[in-house]
Amino acid sequence: MGIYRFGDFELNEDSRALLLAGREIEAQPLVFDFLAILLRHQDRAMSKDELLETLWPGVTVTEASLQRVASLARGILRQGGMETTLRNLPRFGYRICLDQLAALENRPADASGKPSSPGSSILSARAAVAGRKWHEAAASFAKADAADELLTADFEEWALALECMGRPAEAIPLLARAVTAYGVAGERLRAASPAITLARIHLERGELAVAKGWHKRAAQLIDNAADSREHGLWCWMGARIMGAEAEPEQALALAEQAFAVGKSLEDPVVESLGLIYRGFFKLCLGETKAGQEDQDFAAALGLSSDVDPVVGGILYCNILWACRNFGDWARANQWTLGYEDWCRGHGLEDLSGSCRLHRAEVLGVLGTLKEAEALVRAALDQLALDAPWATGDALRVLGDIHLAAGEFTEAEAAYRASHAAGWDPQPGLALLQLEQGQAEAAFSALERSLVGNGWPTLQRRGMVLATLAKVAARTNRPERAKEVIAELETQPQRWPTASIRALTAEAKAELFIQEERLTEAARELQIACSRWNEIGSPINVADARLSLAALLIQLGDRTGAELELGTVLAVARKVDSPRLTRRYEELTGLLAGAKREALG
């Protein structure tokens, strides 16, 4: 047993106290023991087996438990600017390095090397970061900067706090200062990390040229360190840039590299980011099941490994983008609920613009139209700050919500604004055009939407194709409709989601109606109702039931039509959709006329 002093820390094994600048800080018992063991044996590395046996004697636990303890320990060390003293040795174990080299690595921007005083702004800032109090952290970092108390690593933590507050633009100058300071101190590899973060922020702001510039600067700083964490992050960022440049094959290859580096280093951040984008680009290239599995595992890995909120947001948003493009609403809702709980545990009082947008679309599909509209409008305000490139997509979602409510003028205005912002508002705009009797315009627009190799085009292909088949049938293009339906049905592994299957059934029903095969059309609409019910999308179910009711009236099945219309009325009242109500009233009148005719 002993007392160990390092940086601003003091660990006393006898009293089991851990102090930072004279102030006791909380540490879970296992985390305290983990640090104490490494300090006691700081002259060598400790293997995983040694640590597992010492921390959990006689108990069988997985390496994931050890990784969790190490992650929490690193979070405590980060409060004193010494997180890099804890070294993860791939495929072996851990070591704590307190030699002169490690001291230099942790204090590149502090020439004096004097410990921080208790109650100083910098210690308050670091403690706030550890406690996920982002507003408090940002304010304290600003005071510490004015007092010249910051280490280079603090610039990165300050930038993280600002990003978590939804102000990434303000993080840009801080990260640039970190790159410069690390470079001046001769720590080129460490300088690569803030350079990669700068590439990400600029990419998310739609500034591709600037993002590519910082990405190339990071490559120069990494040089030949191909087995480093920074190289893994560089590969991941490269995958995103290749995706933005419509090169999905190259993007997939870089995501594979990032995943391999993260797995080799046992770094959950790099591993989960590489894996989530590997899944993302597999989805683009038609490997739907494998892509979904990669994404689900990546999110579970990352969100259970104490990653920072920015990484957590990337994992969640990535899954939601894919779910939305594939119409995988059941999966989207499951991840949304889990992520909201995760946010509350990581100090995120307000969701980012992208997160609000994802949640709004899920709510719109589930039928909560007013709440969805309010949320997407809030998302538009936030996206202007943290992801302006997605503004067009948010306007598309707003159009979909207005369309579901039957507010066609507002829907058209939103879709036009989406197009003006550089986004393709399909297939929603085509569905609006169908409602307005512009089937030919809808057909041409959907055909144009299938052109291109960008990830939005590739991922939403199934939704666009299914809508195109319906429109092709309605515009007297049966051969094109059959061709599209065949593409969807002969590749079930590529289009496995219930929503695409529901849309395909509706397209087949449209084709059968044009061919006057009404009984077969009714059967396909029943399939569509069942598929939409799987997702829990009452508005889509109601639309399919309306079409089915119209067919049943034609077939003389007035009892069946009454049953379908009764269900539609209940949905229309619940989701407050004037469009559904109007259509219900039209068919009710038609049904009444059919009854009078039968009685006459």
Side-chain angles (χ1 to χ4, degrees), residues 171-220:
I172 291 173
L174 301 175
L175 293 163
R177 287 170 70 183
V179 174
T180 301
Y182 281 133
V184 169
E187 299 180 71
R188 293 174 61 82
L189 188 58
R190 288 198 69 185
S193 183
I196 292 165
T197 304
L198 281 165
R200 173 180 58 76
I201 291 176
H202 282 293
L203 182 67
E204 290 171 353
R205 289 171 57 82
E207 299 159 355
L208 179 59
V210 183
K212 290 170 68 176
W214 280 111
H215 190 245
K216 288 181 179 178
R217 175 60 176 144
Q220 186 182 50

Short mmCIF file of all heavy atoms in Angstrom, two decimals, residues 171-220:
data_model
loop_
_atom_site.label_atom_id
_atom_site.label_comp_id
_atom_site.label_asym_id
_atom_site.label_seq_id
_atom_site.Cartn_x
_atom_site.Cartn_y
_atom_site.Cartn_z
N ALA A 171 -16.41 25.62 -32.19
CA ALA A 171 -15.33 24.69 -31.86
C ALA A 171 -14.19 24.75 -32.87
O ALA A 171 -13.07 24.34 -32.58
CB ALA A 171 -15.88 23.27 -31.80
N ILE A 172 -14.46 25.26 -34.07
CA ILE A 172 -13.46 25.24 -35.15
C ILE A 172 -12.17 25.95 -34.77
O ILE A 172 -11.07 25.38 -34.90
CB ILE A 172 -14.07 25.80 -36.45
CG1 ILE A 172 -15.13 24.82 -36.98
CG2 ILE A 172 -13.00 26.05 -37.50
CD1 ILE A 172 -15.91 25.34 -38.17
N PRO A 173 -12.20 27.21 -34.28
CA PRO A 173 -10.92 27.86 -33.93
C PRO A 173 -10.17 27.17 -32.80
O PRO A 173 -8.93 27.18 -32.78
CB PRO A 173 -11.35 29.29 -33.55
CG PRO A 173 -12.81 29.21 -33.27
CD PRO A 173 -13.34 28.12 -34.13
N LEU A 174 -10.89 26.56 -31.87
CA LEU A 174 -10.22 25.86 -30.77
C LEU A 174 -9.46 24.64 -31.28
O LEU A 174 -8.33 24.37 -30.86
CB LEU A 174 -11.25 25.44 -29.72
CG LEU A 174 -12.07 26.56 -29.08
CD1 LEU A 174 -13.11 25.98 -28.15
CD2 LEU A 174 -11.14 27.51 -28.31
N LEU A 175 -10.08 23.90 -32.18
CA LEU A 175 -9.42 22.72 -32.74
C LEU A 175 -8.22 23.11 -33.60
O LEU A 175 -7.19 22.42 -33.59
CB LEU A 175 -10.43 21.91 -33.56
CG LEU A 175 -11.55 21.26 -32.73
CD1 LEU A 175 -12.71 20.86 -33.62
CD2 LEU A 175 -11.01 20.05 -31.97
N ALA A 176 -8.34 24.23 -34.31
CA ALA A 176 -7.19 24.71 -35.08
C ALA A 176 -6.04 25.09 -34.16
O ALA A 176 -4.86 24.81 -34.47
CB ALA A 176 -7.61 25.91 -35.94
N ARG A 177 -6.35 25.69 -33.02
CA ARG A 177 -5.30 26.01 -32.03
C ARG A 177 -4.65 24.73 -31.50
O ARG A 177 -3.43 24.69 -31.28
CB ARG A 177 -5.91 26.80 -30.87
CG ARG A 177 -6.27 28.23 -31.22
CD ARG A 177 -7.08 28.89 -30.12
NE ARG A 177 -6.28 29.14 -28.91
CZ ARG A 177 -6.79 29.65 -27.78
NH1 ARG A 177 -8.09 29.95 -27.70
NH2 ARG A 177 -6.02 29.84 -26.74
N ALA A 178 -5.46 23.69 -31.31
CA ALA A 178 -4.90 22.42 -30.82
C ALA A 178 -3.94 21.82 -31.84
O ALA A 178 -2.85 21.35 -31.48
CB ALA A 178 -6.03 21.44 -30.52
N VAL A 179 -4.32 21.85 -33.12
CA VAL A 179 -3.43 21.32 -34.16
C VAL A 179 -2.10 22.07 -34.14
O VAL A 179 -1.02 21.47 -34.18
CB VAL A 179 -4.09 21.44 -35.55
CG1 VAL A 179 -3.10 21.02 -36.65
CG2 VAL A 179 -5.35 20.58 -35.63
N THR A 180 -2.17 23.39 -34.05
CA THR A 180 -0.95 24.22 -34.04
C THR A 180 -0.09 23.92 -32.82
O THR A 180 1.13 23.74 -32.93
CB THR A 180 -1.33 25.71 -34.08
OG1 THR A 180 -2.10 25.97 -35.25
CG2 THR A 180 -0.08 26.58 -34.09
N ALA A 181 -0.72 23.88 -31.64
CA ALA A 181 0.04 23.68 -30.39
C ALA A 181 0.71 22.32 -30.36
O ALA A 181 1.88 22.20 -29.95
CB ALA A 181 -0.88 23.85 -29.19
N TYR A 182 0.00 21.27 -30.77
CA TYR A 182 0.61 19.95 -30.82
C TYR A 182 1.79 19.94 -31.79
O TYR A 182 2.83 19.33 -31.55
CB TYR A 182 -0.41 18.89 -31.24
CG TYR A 182 -1.35 18.45 -30.15
CD1 TYR A 182 -2.73 18.36 -30.39
CD2 TYR A 182 -0.89 18.09 -28.89
CE1 TYR A 182 -3.61 17.93 -29.41
CE2 TYR A 182 -1.77 17.67 -27.90
CZ TYR A 182 -3.13 17.59 -28.16
OH TYR A 182 -3.99 17.17 -27.19
N GLY A 183 1.61 20.61 -32.93
CA GLY A 183 2.68 20.65 -33.92
C GLY A 183 3.92 21.35 -33.38
O GLY A 183 5.05 20.89 -33.58
N VAL A 184 3.72 22.49 -32.71
CA VAL A 184 4.85 23.23 -32.13
C VAL A 184 5.59 22.38 -31.10
O VAL A 184 6.82 22.42 -31.00
CB VAL A 184 4.35 24.54 -31.49
CG1 VAL A 184 5.44 25.19 -30.65
CG2 VAL A 184 3.87 25.50 -32.57
N ALA A 185 4.83 21.57 -30.35
CA ALA A 185 5.44 20.70 -29.33
C ALA A 185 6.05 19.44 -29.93
O ALA A 185 6.59 18.61 -29.20
CB ALA A 185 4.39 20.32 -28.29
N GLY A 186 5.97 19.28 -31.24
CA GLY A 186 6.55 18.11 -31.89
C GLY A 186 5.69 16.87 -31.80
O GLY A 186 6.15 15.77 -32.12
N GLU A 187 4.42 17.01 -31.40
CA GLU A 187 3.52 15.85 -31.24
C GLU A 187 2.61 15.75 -32.47
O GLU A 187 1.41 15.99 -32.41
CB GLU A 187 2.71 15.99 -29.97
CG GLU A 187 3.57 16.05 -28.72
CD GLU A 187 2.72 16.18 -27.47
OE1 GLU A 187 2.07 15.18 -27.13
OE2 GLU A 187 2.70 17.25 -26.88
N ARG A 188 3.21 15.37 -33.57
CA ARG A 188 2.49 15.37 -34.85
C ARG A 188 1.32 14.38 -34.85
O ARG A 188 0.24 14.69 -35.37
CB ARG A 188 3.47 15.05 -35.98
CG ARG A 188 4.50 16.13 -36.21
CD ARG A 188 5.54 15.70 -37.24
NE ARG A 188 4.95 15.42 -38.55
CZ ARG A 188 4.65 16.33 -39.45
NH1 ARG A 188 4.88 17.61 -39.20
NH2 ARG A 188 4.14 15.98 -40.63
N LEU A 189 1.52 13.21 -34.26
CA LEU A 189 0.45 12.22 -34.28
C LEU A 189 -0.76 12.71 -33.50
O LEU A 189 -1.91 12.56 -33.93
CB LEU A 189 0.95 10.89 -33.73
CG LEU A 189 -0.01 9.70 -33.87
CD1 LEU A 189 -0.37 9.46 -35.34
CD2 LEU A 189 0.60 8.44 -33.27
N ARG A 190 -0.52 13.32 -32.35
CA ARG A 190 -1.64 13.83 -31.57
C ARG A 190 -2.33 14.98 -32.29
O ARG A 190 -3.53 15.19 -32.14
CB ARG A 190 -1.17 14.28 -30.19
CG ARG A 190 -0.81 13.13 -29.27
CD ARG A 190 -0.78 13.55 -27.82
NE ARG A 190 -2.10 13.87 -27.31
CZ ARG A 190 -2.33 14.35 -26.09
NH1 ARG A 190 -1.31 14.60 -25.28
NH2 ARG A 190 -3.55 14.62 -25.70
N ALA A 191 -1.58 15.73 -33.09
CA ALA A 191 -2.18 16.84 -33.83
C ALA A 191 -3.17 16.35 -34.87
O ALA A 191 -4.07 17.08 -35.29
CB ALA A 191 -1.08 17.67 -34.50
N ALA A 192 -3.01 15.10 -35.30
CA ALA A 192 -3.90 14.56 -36.33
C ALA A 192 -5.33 14.44 -35.83
O ALA A 192 -6.28 14.59 -36.61
CB ALA A 192 -3.39 13.19 -36.79
N SER A 193 -5.52 14.18 -34.54
CA SER A 193 -6.88 13.96 -34.02
C SER A 193 -7.75 15.20 -34.16
O SER A 193 -8.85 15.12 -34.72
CB SER A 193 -6.81 13.48 -32.57
OG SER A 193 -8.10 13.20 -32.07
N PRO A 194 -7.32 16.39 -33.67
CA PRO A 194 -8.16 17.57 -33.90
C PRO A 194 -8.30 17.93 -35.38
O PRO A 194 -9.32 18.50 -35.78
CB PRO A 194 -7.46 18.68 -33.11
CG PRO A 194 -6.07 18.20 -32.88
CD PRO A 194 -6.17 16.70 -32.81
N ALA A 195 -7.29 17.60 -36.20
CA ALA A 195 -7.41 17.85 -37.64
C ALA A 195 -8.54 17.02 -38.24
O ALA A 195 -9.31 17.50 -39.09
CB ALA A 195 -6.08 17.54 -38.34
N ILE A 196 -8.66 15.77 -37.79
CA ILE A 196 -9.74 14.90 -38.28
C ILE A 196 -11.10 15.42 -37.81
O ILE A 196 -12.09 15.41 -38.55
CB ILE A 196 -9.51 13.45 -37.82
CG1 ILE A 196 -8.27 12.87 -38.51
CG2 ILE A 196 -10.73 12.58 -38.11
CD1 ILE A 196 -7.75 11.61 -37.88
N THR A 197 -11.16 15.91 -36.57
CA THR A 197 -12.41 16.48 -36.06
C THR A 197 -12.81 17.71 -36.88
O THR A 197 -14.00 17.92 -37.17
CB THR A 197 -12.27 16.86 -34.58
OG1 THR A 197 -11.85 15.71 -33.82
CG2 THR A 197 -13.58 17.37 -34.01
N LEU A 198 -11.82 18.52 -37.26
CA LEU A 198 -12.11 19.67 -38.11
C LEU A 198 -12.67 19.22 -39.46
O LEU A 198 -13.61 19.83 -40.00
CB LEU A 198 -10.84 20.50 -38.32
CG LEU A 198 -10.46 21.42 -37.16
CD1 LEU A 198 -9.03 21.89 -37.29
CD2 LEU A 198 -11.41 22.61 -37.08
N ALA A 199 -12.10 18.15 -40.01
CA ALA A 199 -12.62 17.61 -41.29
C ALA A 199 -14.08 17.20 -41.12
O ALA A 199 -14.92 17.47 -42.00
CB ALA A 199 -11.77 16.43 -41.73
N ARG A 200 -14.40 16.54 -40.00
CA ARG A 200 -15.79 16.11 -39.78
C ARG A 200 -16.74 17.29 -39.66
O ARG A 200 -17.80 17.30 -40.29
CB ARG A 200 -15.87 15.26 -38.52
CG ARG A 200 -17.30 14.91 -38.13
CD ARG A 200 -17.38 14.07 -36.88
NE ARG A 200 -16.78 14.66 -35.72
CZ ARG A 200 -17.33 15.65 -35.01
NH1 ARG A 200 -18.50 16.17 -35.37
NH2 ARG A 200 -16.71 16.12 -33.94
N ILE A 201 -16.37 18.29 -38.87
CA ILE A 201 -17.28 19.42 -38.67
C ILE A 201 -17.52 20.14 -39.99
O ILE A 201 -18.67 20.49 -40.32
CB ILE A 201 -16.70 20.39 -37.61
CG1 ILE A 201 -16.73 19.72 -36.22
CG2 ILE A 201 -17.48 21.69 -37.57
CD1 ILE A 201 -16.08 20.55 -35.12
N HIS A 202 -16.47 20.36 -40.76
CA HIS A 202 -16.65 21.07 -42.03
C HIS A 202 -17.48 20.23 -43.01
O HIS A 202 -18.29 20.78 -43.76
CB HIS A 202 -15.29 21.41 -42.64
CG HIS A 202 -14.63 22.60 -41.99
ND1 HIS A 202 -15.13 23.87 -42.10
CD2 HIS A 202 -13.52 22.70 -41.19
CE1 HIS A 202 -14.37 24.71 -41.42
NE2 HIS A 202 -13.39 24.03 -40.86
N LEU A 203 -17.30 18.90 -42.99
CA LEU A 203 -18.12 18.05 -43.86
C LEU A 203 -19.58 18.15 -43.48
O LEU A 203 -20.47 18.26 -44.34
CB LEU A 203 -17.64 16.60 -43.78
CG LEU A 203 -18.39 15.61 -44.68
CD1 LEU A 203 -18.11 15.92 -46.16
CD2 LEU A 203 -17.99 14.17 -44.37
N GLU A 204 -19.87 18.13 -42.19
CA GLU A 204 -21.25 18.21 -41.72
C GLU A 204 -21.86 19.59 -41.97
O GLU A 204 -23.08 19.73 -41.97
CB GLU A 204 -21.32 17.84 -40.24
CG GLU A 204 -21.04 16.36 -40.00
CD GLU A 204 -20.88 15.99 -38.54
OE1 GLU A 204 -20.85 16.91 -37.70
OE2 GLU A 204 -20.76 14.79 -38.25
N ARG A 205 -21.03 20.59 -42.19
CA ARG A 205 -21.50 21.93 -42.54
C ARG A 205 -21.65 22.09 -44.06
O ARG A 205 -21.98 23.17 -44.55
CB ARG A 205 -20.54 22.99 -42.01
CG ARG A 205 -20.58 23.15 -40.50
CD ARG A 205 -19.47 24.05 -39.99
NE ARG A 205 -19.52 25.37 -40.61
CZ ARG A 205 -20.31 26.37 -40.22
NH1 ARG A 205 -21.13 26.19 -39.19
NH2 ARG A 205 -20.29 27.54 -40.82
N GLY A 206 -21.38 21.00 -44.79
CA GLY A 206 -21.50 21.05 -46.24
C GLY A 206 -20.30 21.67 -46.93
O GLY A 206 -20.37 22.01 -48.12
N GLU A 207 -19.17 21.80 -46.22
CA GLU A 207 -17.97 22.43 -46.77
C GLU A 207 -16.96 21.34 -47.14
O GLU A 207 -15.96 21.12 -46.45
CB GLU A 207 -17.40 23.42 -45.74
CG GLU A 207 -18.39 24.53 -45.40
CD GLU A 207 -18.12 25.24 -44.08
OE1 GLU A 207 -17.21 24.82 -43.34
OE2 GLU A 207 -18.84 26.20 -43.76
N LEU A 208 -17.25 20.67 -48.23
CA LEU A 208 -16.48 19.49 -48.61
C LEU A 208 -15.02 19.83 -48.91
O LEU A 208 -14.11 19.08 -48.52
CB LEU A 208 -17.13 18.82 -49.82
CG LEU A 208 -16.43 17.58 -50.38
CD1 LEU A 208 -16.32 16.49 -49.32
CD2 LEU A 208 -17.19 17.04 -51.60
N ALA A 209 -14.77 20.92 -49.60
CA ALA A 209 -13.39 21.27 -49.94
C ALA A 209 -12.54 21.50 -48.70
O ALA A 209 -11.39 21.03 -48.61
CB ALA A 209 -13.38 22.52 -50.83
N VAL A 210 -13.09 22.19 -47.71
CA VAL A 210 -12.36 22.44 -46.47
C VAL A 210 -12.15 21.13 -45.72
O VAL A 210 -11.08 20.89 -45.16
CB VAL A 210 -13.11 23.46 -45.59
CG1 VAL A 210 -12.31 23.78 -44.33
CG2 VAL A 210 -13.38 24.74 -46.37
N ALA A 211 -13.17 20.29 -45.69
CA ALA A 211 -13.05 18.99 -45.04
C ALA A 211 -11.92 18.17 -45.65
O ALA A 211 -11.11 17.55 -44.94
CB ALA A 211 -14.37 18.22 -45.13
N LYS A 212 -11.84 18.14 -46.97
CA LYS A 212 -10.78 17.40 -47.65
C LYS A 212 -9.41 17.98 -47.32
O LYS A 212 -8.42 17.24 -47.18
CB LYS A 212 -11.02 17.41 -49.15
CG LYS A 212 -12.23 16.58 -49.58
CD LYS A 212 -12.59 16.79 -51.03
CE LYS A 212 -11.55 16.24 -51.97
NZ LYS A 212 -11.98 16.38 -53.38
N GLY A 213 -9.33 19.29 -47.17
CA GLY A 213 -8.06 19.91 -46.82
C GLY A 213 -7.56 19.47 -45.46
O GLY A 213 -6.39 19.10 -45.29
N TRP A 214 -8.43 19.47 -44.46
CA TRP A 214 -8.05 19.03 -43.12
C TRP A 214 -7.75 17.53 -43.09
O TRP A 214 -6.88 17.07 -42.35
CB TRP A 214 -9.12 19.38 -42.10
CG TRP A 214 -9.07 20.81 -41.67
CD1 TRP A 214 -9.97 21.80 -41.94
CD2 TRP A 214 -8.03 21.41 -40.88
NE1 TRP A 214 -9.56 22.98 -41.38
CE2 TRP A 214 -8.38 22.77 -40.70
CE3 TRP A 214 -6.86 20.95 -40.29
CZ2 TRP A 214 -7.59 23.67 -39.98
CZ3 TRP A 214 -6.06 21.84 -39.57
CH2 TRP A 214 -6.43 23.17 -39.42
N HIS A 215 -8.48 16.78 -43.91
CA HIS A 215 -8.23 15.34 -43.98
C HIS A 215 -6.83 15.07 -44.53
O HIS A 215 -6.10 14.19 -44.03
CB HIS A 215 -9.30 14.69 -44.84
CG HIS A 215 -9.30 13.20 -44.80
ND1 HIS A 215 -9.00 12.42 -45.90
CD2 HIS A 215 -9.55 12.32 -43.78
CE1 HIS A 215 -9.07 11.15 -45.56
NE2 HIS A 215 -9.42 11.05 -44.29
N LYS A 216 -6.43 15.81 -45.54
CA LYS A 216 -5.08 15.65 -46.09
C LYS A 216 -4.02 16.10 -45.09
O LYS A 216 -2.93 15.51 -45.00
CB LYS A 216 -4.95 16.43 -47.40
CG LYS A 216 -5.73 15.80 -48.55
CD LYS A 216 -5.57 16.58 -49.84
CE LYS A 216 -6.34 15.90 -50.97
NZ LYS A 216 -6.25 16.65 -52.24
N ARG A 217 -4.32 17.17 -44.34
CA ARG A 217 -3.38 17.61 -43.29
C ARG A 217 -3.21 16.52 -42.24
O ARG A 217 -2.08 16.26 -41.78
CB ARG A 217 -3.91 18.89 -42.65
CG ARG A 217 -3.09 19.41 -41.47
CD ARG A 217 -1.68 19.73 -41.85
NE ARG A 217 -0.94 20.32 -40.73
CZ ARG A 217 0.33 20.10 -40.48
NH1 ARG A 217 1.04 19.30 -41.28
NH2 ARG A 217 0.93 20.67 -39.45
N ALA A 218 -4.29 15.85 -41.89
CA ALA A 218 -4.20 14.76 -40.91
C ALA A 218 -3.33 13.62 -41.44
O ALA A 218 -2.53 13.04 -40.70
CB ALA A 218 -5.59 14.25 -40.56
N ALA A 219 -3.47 13.31 -42.74
CA ALA A 219 -2.64 12.25 -43.33
C ALA A 219 -1.17 12.59 -43.24
O ALA A 219 -0.33 11.74 -42.95
CB ALA A 219 -3.04 12.04 -44.79
N GLN A 220 -0.84 13.85 -43.46
CA GLN A 220 0.55 14.30 -43.37
C GLN A 220 1.08 14.15 -41.94
O GLN A 220 2.22 13.76 -41.71
CB GLN A 220 0.62 15.76 -43.80
CG GLN A 220 2.02 16.34 -43.90
CD GLN A 220 1.98 17.80 -44.28
OE1 GLN A 220 1.26 18.60 -43.68
NE2 GLN A 220 2.75 18.17 -45.30
#
